[in-house]
Amino acid sequence: MQHAIRLVIYAIALLIGFSPLATLAQATETETGPVLIRGGWLFDGVSNTRRRNSGIVIQDGKIVGLDVSAEQQNISYARVIELSESETILPGLIDLHAHYNLDLVDNGRVEEVVHNGIIFLANGVTSTWSAGEFYPERVIAQRDLIEAGDAIGPRLFVSGPYFGAFRCEYQVKVASDECIAWPNDISENEIRNEVDKWAQQGVVSIKIKQATPSEAKILIEQAHKNGMTTAGHLGNYDVEYDVSTRDAIMMGIDRIEHQLTLALGTDDPRSAETDEMVNLMIKHQVYYGANLQMYGGINLRRDHLAEMVWTDEAKYFTPYAQSLLEQRGPPEPESDEKEFAQRIVELMSLYKEGGENLLVIGTDEPVYTNLLPGFAYHRELLAMTYAGLSPVAVLKAATINGASALGVSDKLGSIESGKLADLIVVRGNPLDDIKATRDIRLVVKDGVVHDPKTLLLSAQGKIGPAGPGEHEDWELNIQPLRAKAR
């Protein structure tokens, strides 16, 4: 039986493009017996300050002791981790817009979960929601391997495919464009069945993009029937609403991404809607991911290069993929400075009006350059502070708010007794300088302790095709929603 299980793991691993031997070797990285972490400082994700850490006890993947005194520590531990006075413990970070899809051969976006996942984890991101997938079966397969202990990576809260016409990626611009994967005449029954289908495969939250208002209403209702949350990219590529922010909130959407209005600057008349949208978000407790590092990314990197790009991210791509990205050159900015200023106004208005608990962190980094989403997470934290948020507000957005938005705050998002043991140890005080979150000594996920340098080394040179002969594996092949009649 054990041999059969291993053969299945081998087959899945080969199917999604990574070494099964490495996968099985990774499964041996487990802790037996309780682990004690003592010393340093603790930011638990709930309070607004750090406190001294007398001791955290981890056993069977959970936090079983917190603020453990010296007298209570007189038991035998499998491992004792001593922290220095300058180190801080934080809850594991959560990315609520963590794309694993890359466009490397100029033929659509394709998922690479294995090494991208390792890079996320090495950066302290212990949980991700993938915000729309083009090859969801790859994400689900890796999720199952990780949950079985047969691969290393963050918790994969799977999104399934896009729900709406963006299943055809940039072949469509608005919800009314035709898409074989989401036909214009899609029926209510087909929509409900599609939500049910992915719920049965463990999707916890769906991404709505380029759906019509009537489709969105059905999607939200059916997702909630299945205990799933919903997130929406509401604007289209003609700078119009497929579904307005107001309507989406009234339909019961759980999270909104990117923008609260379609205003292209604070002088755009549509900017006057900001206060109304903010009040609706707070009244209905709708979460918001601004994705600042993506939409202001090129300009932010230009203005703050040393802070925004602090390591060589290109080395995690294959040499051939690196050459393709270099030939492509830098993309145009996602937004100009006036539009980006409006996004900051929306974010800060929500924060100042009492919506701090509704802010979440999402990178939204589909790779067109040699920058990667795991590192982009720390660019997003920094961009949020540039916008005017305090480091503690950003850290809560990165931890407890993200867990609450996914409906898992009873298990994740803070360091509390009884919760799952997802935490990181960083050098420095991130409540003074958010950049300290990227100087990571240890990552603990499910109670297993990982060295971030070892994780990063294992991913080096692995992402992308090795040569022209592998292009087919990196090309998007859109499948029709309806099977062809024979």
Side-chain angles (χ1 to χ4, degrees):
M1 182 65 179
Q2 185 67 25
H3 178 66
I5 292 171
R6 285 174 177 262
L7 288 177
V8 170
I9 293 170
Y10 274 31
I12 294 173
L14 291 171
L15 178 65
I16 60 179
F18 64 98
S19 166
L21 291 176
T23 303
L24 292 173
Q26 289 168 356
T28 65
E29 292 193 19
T30 58
E31 299 289 346
T32 57
V35 176
L36 172 66
I37 304 175
R38 65 186 176 197
W41 295 81
L42 170 65
F43 174 74
D44 61 17
V46 179
S47 60
N48 291 326
T49 59
R50 298 188 308 168
R51 65 180 186 267
R52 290 193 177 276
N53 170 49
S54 59
I56 298 173
V57 179
I58 296 169
Q59 187 167 21
D60 298 327
K62 290 188 175 183
I63 298 166
V64 297
L66 198 61
D67 299 315
V68 178
S69 66
E71 293 77 15
Q72 295 171 305
Q73 294 175 17
N74 294 324
I75 65 171
S76 176
Y77 293 97
R79 182 174 181 181
V80 176
I81 299 173
E82 299 279 1
L83 304 188
S84 72
E85 176 71 15
S86 63
E87 292 177 325
T88 304
I89 308 166
L90 305 171
L93 307 174
I94 300 172
D95 191 333
L96 278 185
H97 203 131
H99 287 304
Y100 286 90
N101 41 59
L102 322 176
D103 183 346
L104 298 180
V105 298
D106 295 316
N107 202 345
R109 284 153 56 179
V110 172
E111 269 70 22
E112 195 290 324
V113 194
V114 178
H115 300 104
N116 257 321
I118 288 171
I119 291 169
F120 266 121
L121 190 64
N123 277 283
V125 182
T126 55
S127 295
T128 65
W129 177 72
S130 41
E133 302 153 9
F134 291 101
Y135 286 98
E137 65 278 3
R138 298 185 183 184
V139 187
I140 289 171
Q142 184 67 359
R143 177 203 64 192
D144 292 346
L145 286 170
I146 291 170
E147 289 184 356
D150 295 320
I152 288 177
R155 296 179 188 281
L156 293 177
F157 290 102
V158 180
S159 67
Y162 287 89
F163 288 79
F166 199 69
R167 285 195 185 185
C168 287
E169 209 209 21
Y170 297 110
Q171 296 176 24
V172 301
K173 294 179 67 177
V174 300
S176 59
D177 289 343
E178 186 55 69
C179 168
I180 61 170
W182 192 268
N184 282 345
D185 63 347
I186 189 169
S187 69
E188 177 176 343
N189 192 52
E190 285 177 313
I191 293 173
R192 293 188 186 278
N193 287 343
E194 191 70 3
V195 175
D196 292 347
K197 166 188 169 181
W198 293 102
Q200 289 164 10
Q201 296 187 58
V203 168
V204 301
S205 185
I206 66 171
K207 170 70 171 277
I208 300 169
K209 185 173 181 180
Q210 293 179 338
T212 67
S214 60
E215 292 166 357
K217 187 174 186 297
I218 297 166
L219 286 167
I220 293 168
E221 180 182 296
Q222 196 65 21
H224 289 170
K225 283 184 178 179
N226 280 284
M228 306 155 84
T229 62
T230 57
H233 177 139
L234 304 178
N236 61 40
Y237 294 97
D238 281 343
V239 197
E240 302 167 340
Y241 277 126
D242 285 321
V243 182
S244 73
T245 302
R246 182 185 298 104
D247 288 348
I249 292 172
M250 301 313 294
M251 291 174 188
I253 201 163
D254 301 287
R255 300 190 302 282
I256 289 176
E257 301 168 344
H258 310 310
Q259 57 201 85
L260 299 183
T261 77
L262 291 181
L264 298 179
T266 54
D267 56 351
D268 185 325
R270 292 174 292 189
S271 179
E273 301 172 1
T274 301
D275 289 346
E276 179 190 359
M277 296 307 111
V278 164
N279 290 334
L280 282 172
M281 294 283 284
I282 293 172
K283 178 179 179 180
H284 295 273
Q285 291 294 284
V286 179
Y287 292 88
Y288 180 51
N291 314 121
L292 294 183
Q293 73 83 31
M294 182 64 176
Y295 283 84
I298 290 175
N299 293 330
L300 286 171
R301 292 195 294 274
R302 180 199 63 207
D303 296 341
H304 308 277
L305 184 61
E307 287 193 313
M308 279 279 177
V309 184
W310 62 95
T311 189
D312 176 17
E313 297 171 44
K315 67 184 179 183
Y316 299 102
F317 294 93
T318 64
Y320 176 69
Q322 290 179 44
S323 70
L324 295 178
L325 291 167
E326 288 168 4
Q327 292 169 25
R328 180 181 291 169
E332 293 295 317
E334 289 278 353
S335 64
D336 62 24
E337 292 185 11
K338 286 179 62 178
E339 181 184 349
F340 187 62
Q342 170 65 21
R343 305 287 82 86
I344 291 176
V345 165
E346 293 168 4
L347 170 69
M348 293 308 296
S349 295
L350 182 60
Y351 171 71
K352 291 175 181 177
E353 291 301 316
E356 178 180 348
N357 66 303
L358 302 176
L359 306 180
V360 297
I361 301 295
T363 48
D364 188 22
E365 185 73 72
V367 176
Y368 305 111
T369 69
N370 57 13
L371 301 177
L372 285 163
F375 296 99
Y377 194 90
H378 295 283
R379 285 188 277 276
E380 180 69 8
L381 300 183
L382 191 57
M384 298 280 269
T385 65
Y386 289 157
L389 293 175
S390 67
V392 70
V394 174
L395 288 171
K396 286 190 171 184
T399 56
I400 190 61
N401 291 5
S404 297
L406 281 175
V408 294
S409 60
D410 59 327
K411 301 180 181 69
L412 296 169
S414 60
I415 299 175
E416 298 179 82
S417 187
K419 287 196 172 184
L420 298 175
D422 285 15
L423 54 90
I424 62 176
V425 176
V426 304
R427 301 176 181 92
N429 181 2
L431 279 73
D432 287 340
D433 182 356
I434 200 68
K435 294 191 297 298
T437 58
R438 67 181 68 162
D439 190 1
I440 302 171
R441 175 185 166 186
L442 293 173
V443 178
V444 181
K445 186 233 165 184
D446 255 341
V448 179
V449 182
H450 301 276
D451 172 17
K453 291 182 180 179
T454 301
L455 292 174
L456 289 174
L457 186 62
S458 73
Q460 195 165 310
K462 300 290 179 61
I463 295 176
E470 293 185 3
H471 274 216
E472 186 176 352
D473 294 336
W474 294 87
E475 295 174 350
L476 176 58
N477 181 16
I478 298 168
Q479 297 298 314
L481 179 76
R482 297 161 182 156
K484 293 181 179 179
R486 294 185 178 181

